[in-house]
């Protein structure tokens, strides 16, 4: 157990999103909390090894202290993760519209009972 | 400073957790994304912050359109007149089984993570290698851009593939037959002269800013993703001003697929020819900047096509339902 404060914030946010996912009874709320969990993961990765006064990794760093430059590798990976998360959200919302067109509700219990009645 | 912003971030999520109305949850989600982008900027990553701001604007638009469809379809009411009878499934349920058990389960897993994850002292070896060598090996001045266009270009190709798959899935699952017609329906925003006036002023600035982000992405914060999303915002503004629906969706999809194939081909060309660090003589000396600019431009065109398609498809769903009513 050796986390920095930023990593603890990100972990707490991850589990807030997890709690919202397993307790929400509405489909739109579930989709929103999937995005919340993604954002927590992004903050966790970018905040790894953060120190106060870090500079972005842009420009030449010939005489700069290496410990105070932000790590560029998680940033490059997280830009990719943001676009993939947006793709997942768009697909989720179009699935939501298809579901509402059939069931006329966004309550998980109503959807479950109507699918049981259909089969 | 960073702790205050992160505290406000957690507070926003807690507000979202106890909120019962769908419209307010979407507004809280916009605030949440903006606060997260501010935190990312302070954490020393302006590229990710810019991507997060642009993407969260799009996500909020998509959530609003999806929720509006849900209210119109399921209840026949507007989202602005949401009352207690329409927020089904959002009521707090009392009792141990509904409320306490998930909380205990979540806290249990949180405790397991805190206890069993080993010590993480991030190893700075790879960071130092990248930062000291990217300017001679890949060119440009933005280390992030150099990594996702050079060292880890396979990740970028895979991400572009995922975006193509998502666009195709949205096109397939939205049952909208007509692709490019002007059906003469006026949207509500045209009744507001002030909104149209302001959008007319800022629209060319948005387009110039997007192109600037794409072309200067290897020198400054920005790049293909962020600039592509800004260019897609230009098309949303175009839809809002003129309210015409004449984009040929099939052709844009084909163009996106062709651009994706050209991204793969150009990356392969870049790998085989090498950049100036590997082939440092002759006519290939200036290949580095050419490679970075062309890859950024291709990714920008691809992302702009994808997000324009997504937005116009959602707008098409909205119009189709309007016709049926």
């Amino acid at each position: 157990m050796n986390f920095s404060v930023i990593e603890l914030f990100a972990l707490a946010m991850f589990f807030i999103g997890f709690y919202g996912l397993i307790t929400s009874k509405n489909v739109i709320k579930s989709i929103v909390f999937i995005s919340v969990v993604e954002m927590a993961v992004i903050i966790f990765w970018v905040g790894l090894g953060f120190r106060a006064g870090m500079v972005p990794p842009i420009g030449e760093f010939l005489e700069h202290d290496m410990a105070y430059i932000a790590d560029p590798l998680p940033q490059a990976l997280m830009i990719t993760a943001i676009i993939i998360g947006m793709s997942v959200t768009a697909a989720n919302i179009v699935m939501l519209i298809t579901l509402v067109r059939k069931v006329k509700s966004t309550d998980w219990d109503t959807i479950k009972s109507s699918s049981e009645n259909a089969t | 400073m960073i702790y205050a912003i992160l505290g406000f971030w957690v507070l926003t999520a807690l507000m979202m957790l106890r909120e019962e109305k769908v419209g307010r949850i979407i507004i809280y989600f916009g605030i949440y994304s903006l606060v997260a982008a501010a935190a990312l900027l302070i954490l020393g990553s302006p590229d990710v912050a810019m991507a997060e701001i642009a993407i969260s604007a799009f996500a909020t638009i998509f959530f609003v359109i999806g929720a509006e469809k849900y209210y119109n379809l399921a209840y026949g009411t507007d989202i602005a007149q949401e009352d207690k009878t329409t927020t089904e499934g959002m009521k707090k349920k009392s009792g141990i089984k509904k409320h306490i058990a998930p909380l205990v389960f979540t806290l249990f897993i949180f405790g397991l993570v805190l206890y069993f994850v080993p010590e993480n002292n991030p190893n700075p070896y790879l960071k130092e290698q990248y930062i000291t060598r990217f300017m001679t090996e890949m060119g440009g001045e933005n280390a992030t851009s150099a990594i996702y266009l050079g060292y880890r270009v396979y990740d970028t190709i895979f991400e572009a593939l995922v975006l193509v798959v998502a666009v195709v899935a949205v096109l397939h699952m939205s049952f909208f037959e007509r692709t490019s017609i002007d059906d003469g329906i006026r949207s509500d925003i045209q009744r507001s002269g002030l909104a149209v006036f302001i959008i007319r002023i800022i629209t060319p600035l948005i387009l110039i800013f997007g192109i600037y982000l794409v072309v200067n992405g290897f020198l400054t914060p920005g790049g293909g993703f962020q600039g592509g999303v800004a260019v897609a915002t230009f098309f949303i503004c175009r839809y809002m001003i003129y309210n015409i629906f004449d984009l040929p969706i099939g052709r844009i999809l084909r163009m996106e697929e062709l651009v994706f194939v050209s991204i793969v081909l150009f990356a392969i060309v870049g790998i085989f020819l090498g950049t100036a660090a590997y082939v440092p003589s002759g006519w290939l000396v200036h290949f580095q900047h050419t490679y970075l600019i062309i890859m950024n431009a291709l990714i920008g065109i691809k992302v702009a096509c994808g997000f324009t398609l997504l937005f116009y498809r959602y707008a098409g769903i909205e119009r189709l339902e309007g016709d049926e009513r």
Side-chain angles (χ1 to χ4, degrees):
Chain A
M1 182 171 171
N2 188 15
F3 293 103
S4 71
V5 181
I6 294 172
E7 294 164 14
L8 279 178
F9 267 115
L11 277 176
M13 180 59 87
F14 181 90
F15 283 101
I16 288 171
F18 182 75
Y19 176 74
L21 263 180
I22 61 177
T23 55
S24 72
K25 291 288 184 182
N26 191 299
V27 182
I28 293 181
K29 202 172 176 182
S30 301
I31 298 173
V32 168
F33 275 103
I34 289 174
S35 300
V36 168
V37 169
E38 282 170 4
M39 202 61 231
V41 173
I42 287 166
I43 292 276
F44 182 82
W45 273 72
V46 174
L48 275 179
F50 173 75
R51 302 181 185 196
M54 266 190 170
V55 296
I58 293 171
E60 263 187 291
F61 296 108
L62 292 179
E63 296 158 357
H64 206 282
D65 188 5
M66 191 59 80
Y68 287 93
I69 303 170
D71 196 351
L73 180 61
Q75 301 185 14
L77 296 181
M78 285 308 113
I79 290 176
T80 308
I82 286 176
I83 302 283
I84 289 178
M86 186 59 224
S87 307
V88 170
T89 307
N92 276 340
I93 293 176
V94 81
M95 279 195 277
L96 162 79
I97 295 175
T98 310
L99 185 69
V100 170
R101 194 188 294 261
K102 283 179 183 168
V103 186
K104 305 282 184 196
S105 171
T106 54
D107 191 7
W108 281 118
D109 293 337
T110 314
I111 291 165
K112 195 179 171 189
S113 61
S114 71
S115 66
E116 282 172 355
N117 291 335
T119 58
Chain B
M1 185 68 186
I2 179 69
Y3 299 139
I5 288 180
L6 286 176
F8 186 59
W9 188 55
V10 173
L11 190 68
T12 319
L14 289 176
M15 292 288 283
M16 216 190 294
L17 200 59
R18 65 181 295 278
E19 185 54 55
E20 292 182 358
K21 294 188 176 180
V22 172
R24 289 188 189 170
I25 284 178
I26 294 169
I27 293 172
Y28 280 133
F29 179 68
I31 299 172
Y32 171 86
S33 302
L34 192 62
V35 174
L40 285 171
L41 192 60
I42 292 179
L43 287 174
S45 53
D47 294 277
V48 191
M50 211 174 283
E52 172 58 28
I53 290 174
I55 290 297
S56 69
F58 259 85
T60 313
I61 291 173
F62 288 166
F63 273 122
V64 166
I65 292 178
E68 196 186 17
K69 275 306 99 200
Y70 144 60
Y71 273 96
N72 281 337
L73 279 175
Y75 304 110
T77 57
D78 201 358
I79 190 170
Q81 297 149 0
E82 177 179 23
D83 57 359
K84 284 290 179 186
T85 60
T86 58
T87 56
E88 67 171 321
M90 306 288 279
K91 299 275 168 41
K92 284 201 198 93
K93 301 216 166 100
S94 59
I96 291 178
K97 195 179 173 187
K98 296 287 182 187
H99 211 68
I100 303 295
L103 187 61
V104 170
F105 180 64
T106 308
L107 287 178
F108 176 65
I109 297 181
F110 190 31
L112 283 186
V113 168
L114 286 186
Y115 188 74
F116 280 108
V117 168
E119 292 190 0
N120 57 340
N121 292 316
N123 196 338
Y125 173 72
L126 207 54
K127 175 176 113 179
E128 291 173 4
Q129 291 290 317
Y130 279 135
I131 287 178
T132 51
R133 290 164 67 175
F134 81 94
M135 287 188 79
T136 56
E137 287 186 356
M138 286 308 302
E141 291 188 358
N142 191 345
T144 310
S145 160
I147 287 176
Y148 74 72
L149 292 179
Y151 296 112
R152 303 200 59 88
V153 71
Y154 289 113
D155 292 351
T156 305
I157 291 174
F158 179 70
E159 170 271 333
L161 178 66
V162 169
L163 186 57
V164 169
V165 170
V167 169
V168 171
V170 169
L171 292 193
H172 177 71
M173 291 181 70
S174 58
F175 308 100
F176 187 51
E177 297 299 329
R178 299 168 303 169
T179 53
S180 64
I181 66 168
D182 183 7
D183 49 7
I185 303 175
R186 294 284 172 184
S187 64
D188 288 340
I189 198 165
Q190 282 216 324
R191 291 181 207 141
S192 167
L194 182 63
V196 171
F197 181 71
I198 292 176
I199 291 172
R200 273 177 199 267
I201 291 176
I202 65 173
T203 300
L205 299 180
I206 288 174
L207 186 59
I208 292 173
F209 179 61
I211 294 172
Y212 162 79
L213 277 183
V214 170
V215 174
N216 266 0
F218 68 108
L219 292 177
T220 54
F225 304 112
Q226 296 92 337
V229 178
V231 173
T233 315
F234 167 74
F235 285 101
I236 291 183
C237 291
R238 175 181 177 274
Y239 174 77
M240 282 180 173
I241 296 174
Y242 296 110
N243 196 18
I244 44 180
F245 197 58
D246 56 349
L247 287 189
I249 289 191
R251 280 189 206 165
I252 296 179
L253 180 64
R254 186 160 305 148
M255 178 179 164
E256 187 183 356
E257 291 164 354
L258 287 179
V259 171
F260 173 66
V261 172
S262 59
I263 286 175
V264 176
L265 289 180
F266 195 71
I268 291 172
V269 167
I271 288 169
F272 276 112
L273 286 183
T275 54
Y278 305 114
V279 189
S281 63
W283 56 280
L284 279 174
V285 166
H286 298 293
F287 183 68
Q288 286 181 330
H289 286 184
T290 315
Y291 174 76
L292 291 176
I293 290 176
I294 291 180
M295 277 296 277
N296 259 336
L298 286 176
I299 291 171
I301 293 172
K302 200 201 146 299
V303 173
C305 286
F307 280 87
T308 309
L309 273 182
L310 287 180
F311 173 73
Y312 270 78
R313 201 62 173 182
Y314 281 118
I317 294 174
E318 191 182 19
R319 290 207 163 189
L320 181 66
E321 301 299 332
D323 280 353
E324 280 180 355
R325 276 186 296 141

